[in-house]
Amino acid sequence: MKTVKISLLSKVLLLIVTGLFLGSLYFPMWQIDLDAPQYPEGLNLKLYANKIGGDVEIINGLNHYIGMATLHTENFIEFKILPYIIGFFGLFALVSVLIAKRKFVLALFASFILFTILAGVDFYRWNYEYGHNLDPNAAIKVPGMSYQPPLIGYKQLLNFGAYSVPDIGGWMLIGSGLLIFIVLTLEFKWYKRFMKPKAALLLIPVFLLTACGSNEPKPIKLNVDACEFCKMPISDGKYGAEIQTQKGRFYAFDDISCLVKYCEENESTKVKSYYVHDYTQNNQLIDATTAFYISGGDINSPMNGNIAAFSTQADAQIFGDKLKAKAIKWNEILK
């Protein structure tokens, strides 16, 4: 392979990568959140590069009853070697800046991808053993039941909802990988197959936005999903609602009034976004904070909240006159 020096922009991006790798050592890499009726505020497990944090003692106490092994940092060799591995990648990125050769950046990316795959396999193995190797003399035994936490995403474990996602340190590592890929794209000019050279810079905000996650609502499955508050099936795509928590979990409701009551009874739930069905569409969720509302009159919602939402003020006024309903604002609904 021909030795080619990398550009100044690539060096700057790699310096950022160095900072992200080393900085990730001070933040939790992964989190597993557990929600249950008896713990409305939730329990969380924080996985750092060198230790287990969060509500470890409480979770260990609960797991004892179902025969799961207790969690202790010293029992995992990963916490002893992971800081050195991540530190190595940080130094590798810095050396790539100093040497300024494309082949070093390519080697950095290839080794990071390999590490990511191996780490994912090891995490899955850890979750599997943790959830399947149960004490046969446990106080609570459910035939055929295992308690393997999800590798990523949500899973129901008895009365606990387990949500497994990257934490700050994990997002920093993901961002590092994306930035290295951008450097390679710029240096090897892969973008020439698809776009003009200047347009390649658009990859940076696109990848960063992807890494930060999406704020889009999760479509409600009519006649499948149940209301989180009243537990009734959601069958009408005109009156439903949804919230997204700061942890990224979605809760669906069959009536705006159910959303309001749920939030009143679960004040510890930190809501990131509110969504409501557009009355003029079928099962179309819109941002609740910018929607227009009418209430009362001939509106007949599933749980008698009798509030309809619209994406435009004109629609709200037309249906308000038609249904003999009055206009109402979001801050009056969610007090």
Side-chain angles (χ1 to χ4, degrees):
M1 180 183 295
K2 182 181 178 181
T3 299
V4 179
K5 295 287 185 178
I6 61 176
S7 67
L8 177 61
L9 174 59
S10 294
K11 292 180 181 180
V12 171
L13 292 178
L14 287 174
L15 283 176
I16 296 174
V17 168
T18 300
L20 289 174
F21 273 126
L22 299 180
S24 68
L25 293 172
Y26 298 94
F27 297 95
M29 299 286 179
W30 208 268
Q31 62 176 326
I32 299 177
D33 294 312
L34 300 171
D35 296 321
Q38 65 269 40
Y39 293 98
E41 73 283 0
L43 300 173
N44 66 78
L45 202 62
K46 299 279 188 178
L47 304 180
Y48 292 78
N50 63 339
K51 65 179 181 179
I52 303 174
D55 302 307
V56 183
E57 295 305 319
I58 298 177
I59 293 172
N60 278 341
L62 292 171
N63 289 346
H64 170 74
Y65 291 102
I66 56 177
M68 296 179 74
T70 55
L71 296 168
H72 304 284
T73 298
E74 56 271 19
N75 293 339
F76 296 89
I77 190 174
E78 289 88 345
F79 294 122
K80 296 178 181 178
I81 64 175
L82 191 55
Y84 294 102
I85 294 175
I86 295 175
F88 165 77
F89 280 116
L91 293 177
F92 198 158
L94 182 59
V95 170
S96 298
V97 174
L98 299 176
I99 295 179
K101 294 180 180 179
R102 294 192 312 188
K103 64 180 181 181
F104 277 84
V105 182
L106 190 60
L108 171 63
F109 185 68
S111 58
F112 180 69
I113 292 298
L114 178 61
F115 161 73
T116 301
I117 294 172
L118 293 177
V121 171
D122 183 65
F123 188 40
Y124 178 85
R125 177 195 60 79
W126 178 81
N127 279 343
Y128 184 88
E129 293 180 355
Y130 183 61
H132 285 79
N133 295 338
L134 306 177
D135 183 352
N137 299 316
I140 300 175
K141 291 182 286 187
V142 181
M145 182 68 184
S146 64
Y147 304 96
Q148 181 181 353
L151 182 64
I152 187 169
Y154 175 78
K155 185 177 182 180
Q156 190 71 31
L157 301 173
L158 292 182
N159 64 326
F160 277 89
Y163 199 81
S164 176
V165 291
D167 210 323
I168 296 173
W171 286 116
M172 293 173 74
L173 293 182
I174 293 171
S176 298
L178 291 174
L179 287 178
I180 298 170
F181 177 76
I182 290 171
V183 169
L184 291 174
T185 299
L186 294 173
E187 292 301 324
F188 286 94
K189 297 180 173 55
W190 295 335
Y191 55 78
K192 281 190 173 182
R193 299 180 182 180
F194 310 102
M195 59 182 74
K196 296 180 180 179
K198 291 183 178 180
L201 295 177
L202 294 176
L203 288 171
I204 297 177
V206 168
F207 277 115
L208 292 179
L209 286 173
T210 302
C212 292
S214 173
N215 289 324
E216 293 298 315
K218 178 182 178 182
I220 295 175
K221 298 178 183 178
L222 298 181
N223 301 308
V224 175
D225 291 339
C227 176
E228 189 67 30
F229 181 76
C230 70
K231 309 304 179 184
M232 297 293 290
I234 304 174
S235 58
D236 196 323
K238 291 182 178 297
Y239 299 103
E242 184 177 84
I243 61 173
Q244 181 186 17
T245 69
Q246 291 185 1
K247 296 176 181 178
R249 187 175 177 182
F250 289 91
Y251 294 100
F253 306 91
D254 63 346
D255 195 305
I256 294 175
S257 65
C258 284
L259 179 152
V260 174
K261 293 174 182 176
Y262 177 87
C263 291
E264 289 175 349
E265 294 187 6
N266 297 272
E267 295 181 355
S268 61
T269 299
K270 298 179 181 179
V271 180
K272 177 183 178 182
S273 304
Y274 298 89
Y275 302 101
V276 290
H277 273 148
D278 186 339
Y279 184 85
T280 64
Q281 304 293 327
N282 182 37
N283 199 21
Q284 181 67 45
L285 290 167
I286 57 176
D287 188 341
T289 61
T290 59
F292 300 88
Y293 300 89
I294 57 175
S295 175
D298 295 331
I299 300 174
N300 185 22
S301 64
M303 301 306 294
N304 296 319
N306 299 337
I307 299 174
F310 302 86
S311 57
T312 68
Q313 188 172 16
D315 285 339
Q317 185 172 351
I318 292 172
F319 281 91
D321 294 338
K322 181 179 179 180
L323 299 172
K324 302 175 184 178
K326 64 177 183 179
I328 186 172
K329 296 182 179 179
W330 174 245
N331 58 9
E332 297 177 279
I333 298 171
L334 190 71
K335 296 180 181 179

